[in-house]
Amino acid sequence: MIQREQVLEYMHDTDYKPMTYQELEKQFQITGAQDFKSFLKLLNELENEGHIVRSRTERYGIPERMNLLRGRLQAHAKGFGFLIPEDRDHPDVYIHANDMGGAMNGDTILVRITTRGAAGGKLEGEVAKVVTRANTQIVGLFQMNEGYAFVLPDDKRIGRDIFIPKEAFHGAMDGHKVVVNILSYPEGRAAAEGEVIEILGHKNDPGVDIISIIRKHRLPESFPEEVLEEATSVPEVIAESDLAGRRDLRGKRIVTIDGEDAKDLDDAVNVERLDNGNYVLGVHIADVSYYVREGSPLDREAYNRGCSVYLVDRVIPMLPHRLSNGICSLNPQVDRLTMSCEMEFDEHAKVVRHDVFTSVIKTSERMTYTNVRKLLSDEPEAELLERYAYLMDDFRLMQDLASKLRNRRMKRGAIDFDFEESKILVDASGKPTDIVKRERSVAEQIIEEFMLAANETVAEHFHWLKVPFLYRIHEDPDNEKLQHFMEFITNFGYTVRGRGNTVHPQALQSLLNEIKGTKEERVISTVMLRSMKQAKYDALSTGHFGLAAEFYSHFTSPIRRYPDLIIHRVIREVLEQGDMQAKRHEYLSSRMEDIAKQSSERERVAVDAERETEALKKAEFMMDKVGEEFEGMISSVTSFGIFVELDNTVEGLIRLSDMHDDYYHYHEAQLALIGERTSKVYRLGDEVKVWVARVSTEEHTIDFEMVDMQPRQKKIGLIDALKAVRRGDKRGGRRGEAGSGAGGRGGVGAAKGARGGKRGKGGAVASGSGKGSGKGKAKADSSFSSARASAKVDSSQGTGLEGASGWRGARANAADASSASEGTTSSASLRRSSVQDGASVGDEGITNDGWSSSKRGAKALAGLTGDRNSRKRKSKGKSGAAAGGEGVAFGKRSGKGSTGVSLGGTSAASGRKRSSKGINGISLSGEGPAGADVGGSGESSSRKRASKGSTVAAGKGTGVDAAKARALDAAAKGDGGGQPRKRSKQTKK
């Protein structure tokens, strides 16, 4: 009979071309009817599993040769997703929401590659086939209608609601949390259909929230009967026969050191000092593999669970309590079977000898982190000191050795993230009462260093024995993510050395040491961690980047991690039998990859569930604090808002829509939000004061808002401002007060023009070009900055007042350019129906795009080291302002024609426009600061082309404001004198 491996191997051959089943039948020389039937059945199985694909011409081939890729779908709440290929060397593939083809999060799918980025860029694809469904049951909120209902999935990555017909309600009512069995999956526009199989309770009932999370992640709540029966058969005490072949360590001073609430004590330690000055460290781990035999119900259940899950108010154990809290727990003063790793270290903490063996121990004390920390403090409590006096030398020795181990680890380049963790305290009903920080004291560091040393020693030992094994690996960071991190830290003035595209972990740890205790420490540490890959299990030892370790495994927690249990089983087999038989070696080797994958996946599920319950309880904790103020630090900046973390580790979101004092734009490279008008910058690590605005226990979210954030001010469009100025009414200032005058008169006219613009909501312009020594001064409210701006008039230099800006449209609408200082340049334009606005800020090299569009028009950009410009196209004309430091020019063409404004610094800038309706295009230039509506000395021009005629106006003047049409109007009429014009009196008819 033909085996599946033969078929797959044949099709993977480079010379293979897709064949029909008849051609394959001849190739494999199948003659008998029964063999032919079995062969067709095998082809169908391989096709259904997605290992092979049948084309439209009925030919079979492997997916990779037919432009298809197999993998798991990782969906996003917004509808799109990514294919995580089974081939680990293949990059992920982006899948648009319209190309999901009914696939749901976690499904195994085949994807057809549709777009390949240049030079190995990002790939895009569409779902060609769903191979296996990951979701057969969904947990969600039941919403009832007349005759039907929908279940809204708790997992937002499942983008579609589940339709429930009336006959499938099974007693569910509106507002119930339910478990739904999926009967049919989504296809096209049709929703998935299901039936209610369990009612968890009303969404507001106590405890339903945690149960919903447990069911959502498919975490087991109880053990099968056969597993409990096997656990019951395990003896509660050690028999003499159990000690055969074990090294007896019951006479040594061995202790456990754990948290106060720990019940599954699976590791114990002891330290001795040899006559030669070396240290001997013994790490003794519960011998769980002695009780959980391969292939037993206990073993199968442990494999399925993968690990214990530690939720806020409960633990879902990998093994039944009879084992985890009983015979396998290293309780004090009782005999326990263990697997030991004994290591001798020299004065430099280098391992000079090691031994791995089975043993029996009797721990002297059950120590807690708190008590060990107190004993090793400068002034230990007298009562504690008296009780544990006989262990004090051991604890000091442990502290000394742990310090040396840590120093050695740091020198070789290990990365040590010192994040603050929290613990949520809950009452009997599960309601959170407090959130406290977990301390990482000397006691925790002792156990951490000892476990790391044992894990490395065991991993290296069995790697060189070349036996099947499970390793804990941490791959090198992705080059692109690492490059983004390197660019990010330059904003804080830091750099990391590397060779080419690689960085040694020691360089990253040096950075962590450099930022220790600084304001930006947590921020940079967080971004660094996000730039790295997740650690996982593997059958091959490829090293651990974060620990800078060549060999690493998980040996120390077999009660709560299945990989530890597996390697204990391999260790026992090697210790008892010596060389592993070839057949056994082959079998274990074939199993390790599957166990590594399963264990990694279950670990991620556990982490997700733990994080979700923490988010839920933190939201519950903040429910009664709505309206209260807190101080926090910006922990993340996104395109939709700012995440702020409080001192108690509670994190909330300030939505961009709630930041109503300005229009903010997201800058990914700097991870910052920048206000287009105020130039205000919010970055990672900034300290802010917030108040709790909203809390949702259903979404597990907390919304903050900034304290003392003023509302965004009303804006007036440029065209309206120009019309107001020409009308000469109070909104635009007095027309007669604009212009230029002789001697000191120019200054007076300038000041009055500014005041007129300030009183109204339009815009005024003032300029002076006369000769003399008169000076004037006026203040103007800046719509670009919350600061006050002043403008001077020096008629001897021919500089006019920077007048009121009507086209920004703030309350006062009198502004200068928000002062271009320290390389910071501001500019502004419009936001009004067909008039789009924008602003640019150059602050320490940060550039703020005033608006983002693929359309063509003016965009304001200015930076510290150089200026850029961009354009946009649109059928409806947009107008905008552009400002630059070194003569940046912007232009625009439009179908419907609004105004285009352009400003420049030391060289001339021009703005042109063509329009069927013919509205003026304004251009200003000069040697003054590159501001929004200010130019120094230079030419200004206005051009207009229209089907109804054309006018061209040009005049020479100084200090012309960009938005003020009166000066331009006067120049067009040749009225250079600028004396105030008298308004004609109206008479009654």
Side-chain angles (χ1 to χ4, degrees):
M1 184 181 293
I2 303 298
Q3 301 298 320
R4 59 192 295 136
E5 289 77 15
Q6 292 176 265
V7 175
L8 292 174
E9 184 179 354
Y10 178 65
M11 291 187 180
H12 275 88
D13 191 279
T14 53
D15 294 331
Y16 176 78
K17 294 181 180 180
M19 295 182 178
T20 63
Y21 74 89
Q22 296 95 336
E23 293 170 336
L24 288 169
E25 176 190 5
K26 293 179 181 178
Q27 177 64 35
F28 287 104
Q29 299 178 359
I30 299 172
T31 55
Q34 188 60 40
D35 289 343
F36 176 70
K37 187 176 180 180
S38 299
F39 181 65
L40 285 183
K41 184 178 179 181
L42 174 61
L43 289 179
N44 287 334
E45 288 177 357
L46 291 173
E47 182 185 357
N48 291 335
E49 294 170 3
H51 294 297
I52 64 175
V53 178
R54 180 171 49 170
S55 69
R56 295 176 181 175
T57 58
E58 299 294 323
R59 295 180 179 274
Y60 292 91
I62 59 172
E64 293 82 353
R65 302 280 182 83
M66 305 178 86
N67 195 34
L68 296 173
L69 195 61
R70 178 187 165 105
R72 181 176 56 85
L73 175 64
Q74 182 176 297
H76 191 277
K78 292 185 178 179
F80 62 87
F82 290 91
L83 174 78
I84 311 300
E86 292 182 347
D87 181 1
R88 287 177 291 180
D89 296 330
H90 197 287
D92 298 346
V93 181
Y94 171 78
I95 305 171
H96 190 273
N98 296 334
D99 298 324
M100 296 287 276
M104 302 169 75
N105 183 57
D107 289 351
T108 300
I109 57 175
L110 292 177
V111 167
R112 180 177 293 106
I113 308 299
T114 57
T115 304
R116 295 181 182 271
K122 293 183 178 179
L123 303 177
E124 294 186 20
E126 60 183 6
V127 176
K129 180 181 180 180
V130 178
V131 177
T132 56
R133 292 286 184 177
N135 303 282
T136 57
Q137 295 180 358
I138 300 294
V139 178
L141 180 65
F142 191 85
Q143 287 191 345
M144 188 165 59
N145 297 281
E146 293 183 7
Y148 65 93
F150 279 95
V151 170
L152 283 59
D154 284 356
D155 188 349
K156 301 307 176 187
R157 295 172 298 179
I158 299 174
R160 300 189 183 186
D161 301 340
I162 313 298
F163 174 77
I164 311 294
K166 190 171 184 178
E167 62 273 13
F169 286 8
H170 298 161
M173 302 294 291
D174 196 56
H176 274 159
K177 278 295 187 76
V178 298
V179 181
V180 173
N181 188 41
I182 298 181
L183 302 176
S184 64
Y185 289 89
E187 186 173 348
R189 294 186 177 181
E193 185 174 328
E195 62 175 349
V196 176
I197 60 173
E198 185 179 5
I199 300 172
L200 303 179
H202 193 273
K203 61 180 181 179
N204 296 328
D205 291 345
V208 170
D209 47 10
I210 294 290
I211 293 175
S212 298
I213 293 174
I214 290 173
R215 298 299 175 83
K216 170 186 171 181
H217 294 281
R218 295 196 289 274
L219 299 175
E221 290 184 82
S222 60
F223 287 94
E225 195 62 35
E226 60 176 352
V227 174
L228 293 176
E229 289 179 4
E230 185 182 357
T232 304
S233 66
V234 174
E236 294 183 348
V237 295
I238 306 297
E240 194 64 31
S241 58
D242 297 327
L243 306 182
R246 293 181 179 272
R247 194 175 301 180
D248 193 342
L249 304 178
R250 286 176 289 187
K252 292 184 177 291
R253 290 194 305 274
I254 299 174
V255 298
T256 60
I257 306 177
D258 289 275
E260 281 82 353
D261 54 353
K263 294 187 173 88
D264 49 353
L265 314 178
D266 53 6
D267 58 82
V269 295
N270 73 295
V271 177
E272 300 174 10
R273 195 72 175 260
L274 299 180
D275 294 338
N276 61 4
N278 288 354
Y279 303 86
V280 174
L281 167 64
V283 176
H284 316 283
I285 309 300
D287 193 358
V288 181
S289 65
Y290 184 79
Y291 301 102
V292 182
R293 298 295 180 172
E294 184 177 1
S296 66
L298 272 172
D299 182 48
R300 291 195 299 271
E301 184 68 14
Y303 167 84
N304 291 331
R305 296 187 176 217
C307 59
S308 296
V309 185
Y310 295 85
L311 305 180
V312 170
D313 62 345
R314 71 195 73 187
V315 176
I316 300 177
M318 185 180 76
L319 299 171
H321 289 300
R322 183 178 174 87
L323 289 172
S324 60
N325 296 354
I327 192 66
C328 292
S329 184
L330 305 182
N331 300 326
Q333 300 298 328
V334 292
D335 292 351
R336 287 293 184 259
L337 304 183
T338 49
M339 190 78 71
S340 296
C341 177
E342 191 175 85
M343 297 155 281
E344 181 180 342
F345 298 93
D346 63 16
E347 60 180 356
H348 303 295
K350 181 181 179 182
V351 178
V352 295
R353 178 187 63 84
H354 74 272
D355 194 9
V356 182
F357 54 92
T358 57
S359 57
V360 56
I361 67 170
K362 179 187 287 187
T363 58
S364 302
E365 294 286 353
R366 189 262 199 247
M367 301 298 300
T368 65
Y369 292 129
T370 302
N371 284 342
V372 173
R373 173 176 56 81
K374 290 178 179 178
L375 288 169
L376 292 174
S377 65
D378 294 335
E379 297 180 1
E381 296 177 5
E383 185 179 348
L384 277 178
L385 196 57
E386 182 180 354
R387 180 180 174 186
Y388 300 115
Y390 76 105
L391 292 174
M392 283 304 300
D393 288 342
D394 291 349
F395 291 142
R396 293 191 183 100
L397 207 57
M398 289 179 188
Q399 183 181 17
D400 188 35
L401 176 59
S403 177
K404 291 179 182 294
L405 287 171
R406 175 179 168 76
N407 290 338
R408 180 176 177 83
R409 189 163 58 87
M410 292 297 102
K411 283 182 180 179
R412 78 183 183 199
I415 303 173
D416 185 26
F417 291 103
D418 191 12
F419 289 113
E420 286 184 336
E421 297 181 356
S422 63
K423 181 179 180 180
I424 303 172
L425 305 180
V426 296
D427 59 19
S429 64
K431 183 179 179 181
T433 58
D434 198 5
I435 300 176
V436 296
K437 291 184 179 179
R438 295 180 186 268
E439 286 192 63
R440 191 187 179 201
S441 67
V442 62
E444 282 88 353
Q445 291 177 6
I446 286 172
I447 294 301
E448 180 181 322
E449 294 301 330
F450 290 177
M451 298 305 114
L452 288 173
N455 285 335
E456 289 184 44
T457 301
V458 169
E460 183 173 6
H461 180 91
F462 287 91
H463 170 78
W464 295 118
L465 288 180
K466 300 187 182 302
V467 295
F469 214 66
L470 277 180
Y471 300 93
R472 182 72 169 177
I473 68 168
H474 186 210
E475 298 170 303
D476 292 353
D478 179 77
N479 286 336
E480 184 178 353
K481 288 184 177 180
L482 195 59
Q483 189 63 36
H484 287 164
F485 170 72
M486 306 275 274
E487 293 173 0
F488 167 72
I489 61 175
T490 59
N491 294 307
F492 298 91
Y494 298 104
T495 57
V496 172
R497 294 181 179 179
R499 293 182 179 179
N501 291 328
T502 62
V503 172
H504 192 275
Q506 191 169 25
L508 297 177
Q509 180 58 43
S510 297
L511 174 63
L512 292 177
N513 293 336
E514 189 176 355
I515 64 175
K516 189 76 173 175
T518 63
K519 170 184 165 184
E520 60 268 17
E521 177 185 5
R522 182 173 180 83
V523 173
I524 293 179
S525 299
T526 301
V527 178
M528 182 191 295
L529 184 63
R530 290 173 183 169
S531 70
M532 295 183 181
K533 294 183 178 179
Q534 285 183 324
K536 60 182 180 179
Y537 297 102
D538 203 293
L540 299 175
S541 177
T542 58
H544 197 291
F545 178 83
L547 294 173
E550 187 176 358
F551 308 101
Y552 194 69
S553 66
H554 272 175
F555 163 75
T556 55
S557 296
I559 289 179
R560 58 186 179 92
R561 292 190 304 227
Y562 192 70
D564 304 54
L565 175 60
I566 286 295
I567 68 172
H568 274 226
R569 193 172 287 157
V570 172
I571 292 170
R572 172 187 307 287
E573 200 163 327
V574 172
L575 294 176
E576 292 178 353
Q577 301 179 9
D579 294 336
M580 190 177 289
Q581 294 182 357
K583 191 173 182 180
R584 176 66 175 168
H585 191 286
E586 182 181 352
Y587 170 75
L588 286 177
S589 297
S590 66
R591 289 275 295 135
M592 288 303 172
E593 187 173 343
D594 172 68
I595 294 172
K597 181 180 178 182
Q598 164 74 0
S599 299
S600 297
E601 289 178 355
R602 296 308 300 169
E603 179 187 41
R604 284 193 289 271
V605 169
V607 170
D608 288 344
E610 290 166 4
R611 287 176 177 171
E612 190 167 349
T613 54
E614 285 184 5
L616 166 67
K617 293 303 177 183
K618 285 181 177 179
E620 286 184 16
F621 181 73
M622 299 297 289
M623 275 291 290
D624 60 353
K625 295 170 181 59
V626 173
E628 293 185 23
E629 295 183 2
F630 297 90
E631 291 185 353
M633 177 181 291
I634 296 178
S635 57
S636 181
V637 180
T638 69
S639 59
F640 53 85
I642 297 170
F643 285 96
V644 175
E645 184 176 304
L646 307 184
D647 187 57
N648 62 3
T649 72
V650 168
E651 191 174 54
L653 172 66
I654 301 176
R655 301 179 186 274
L656 203 60
S657 57
D658 290 330
M659 300 177 67
H660 40 67
D661 66 331
D662 201 346
Y663 294 98
Y664 288 89
H665 301 277
Y666 176 56
H667 289 255
E668 186 176 5
Q670 290 81 20
L671 292 178
L673 285 179
I674 305 177
E676 66 176 41
R677 183 174 58 202
T678 62
S679 307
K680 191 181 293 182
V681 180
Y682 290 105
R683 294 187 192 176
L684 275 167
D686 287 352
E687 295 178 353
V688 292
K689 194 170 185 179
V690 299
W691 63 278
V692 183
R694 293 171 295 275
V695 176
S696 172
T697 53
E698 291 184 5
E699 301 292 333
H700 310 160
T701 58
I702 302 165
D703 283 359
F704 293 148
E705 288 190 24
M706 293 286 187
V707 173
D708 299 330
M709 178 166 280
Q710 298 299 321
R712 198 177 291 129
Q713 297 172 337
K714 184 181 177 183
K715 301 179 296 297
I716 288 183
L718 175 58
I719 297 175
D720 288 347
L722 293 173
K723 290 179 179 178
V725 171
R726 288 197 177 98
R727 285 198 305 268
D729 60 19
K730 65 180 181 179
R731 288 184 299 159
R734 293 174 184 161
R735 185 173 182 178
E737 292 175 354
S740 59
R745 186 60 178 168
V748 174
K752 289 183 179 180
R755 286 195 293 272
K758 180 178 178 182
R759 284 194 300 270
K761 292 186 178 180
V765 67
S767 64
S769 60
K771 298 179 181 180
S773 59
K775 295 185 178 181
K777 185 173 184 180
K779 299 247 183 198
D781 283 341
S782 171
S783 60
F784 317 110
S785 173
S786 59
R788 303 284 289 177
S790 63
K792 297 181 179 179
V793 177
D794 186 349
S795 60
S796 64
Q797 298 297 324
T799 303
L801 175 70
E802 302 166 11
S805 169
W807 41 286
R808 182 58 238 153
R811 183 173 54 206
N813 270 356
D816 68 349
S818 185
S819 76
S821 63
E822 298 294 334
T824 303
T825 305
S826 298
S827 65
S829 59
L830 299 179
R831 186 188 295 272
R832 183 183 177 87
S833 61
S834 66
V835 184
Q836 187 69 26
D837 73 330
S840 81
V841 179
D843 180 12
E844 297 180 347
I846 299 176
T847 301
N848 179 28
D849 298 350
W851 58 84
S852 177
S853 174
S854 60
K855 314 300 181 185
R856 175 181 165 190
K859 178 179 283 190
L861 290 172
L864 180 66
T865 56
D867 301 315
R868 298 182 287 120
N869 66 340
S870 63
R871 294 182 163 184
K872 77 176 175 183
R873 298 175 182 268
K874 188 141 184 157
S875 59
K876 294 182 179 181
K878 305 287 185 185
S879 72
E886 294 294 331
V888 182
F890 300 79
K892 116 179 199 37
R893 294 170 183 247
S894 175
K896 271 197 168 181
S898 300
T899 303
V901 183
S902 173
L903 297 89
T906 56
S907 62
S910 63
R912 295 188 178 184
K913 142 178 182 24
R914 301 187 179 187
S915 173
S916 59
K917 291 186 177 180
I919 299 177
N920 286 335
I922 303 174
S923 166
L924 298 96
S925 66
E927 296 176 352
D933 41 342
V934 181
S937 60
E939 295 288 333
S940 70
S941 63
S942 174
R943 299 188 178 185
K944 173 170 90 171
R945 300 187 181 184
S947 58
K948 294 183 179 181
S950 61
T951 62
V952 177
K956 182 177 290 188
T958 58
V960 185
D961 189 299
K964 315 312 177 283
R966 284 172 295 168
L968 296 173
D969 201 58
K973 291 181 171 58
D975 185 8
Q979 295 293 334
R981 295 175 56 184
K982 295 182 180 179
R983 185 175 297 184
S984 60
K985 296 182 180 179
Q986 295 184 0
T987 57
K988 295 181 181 180
K989 290 183 180 179

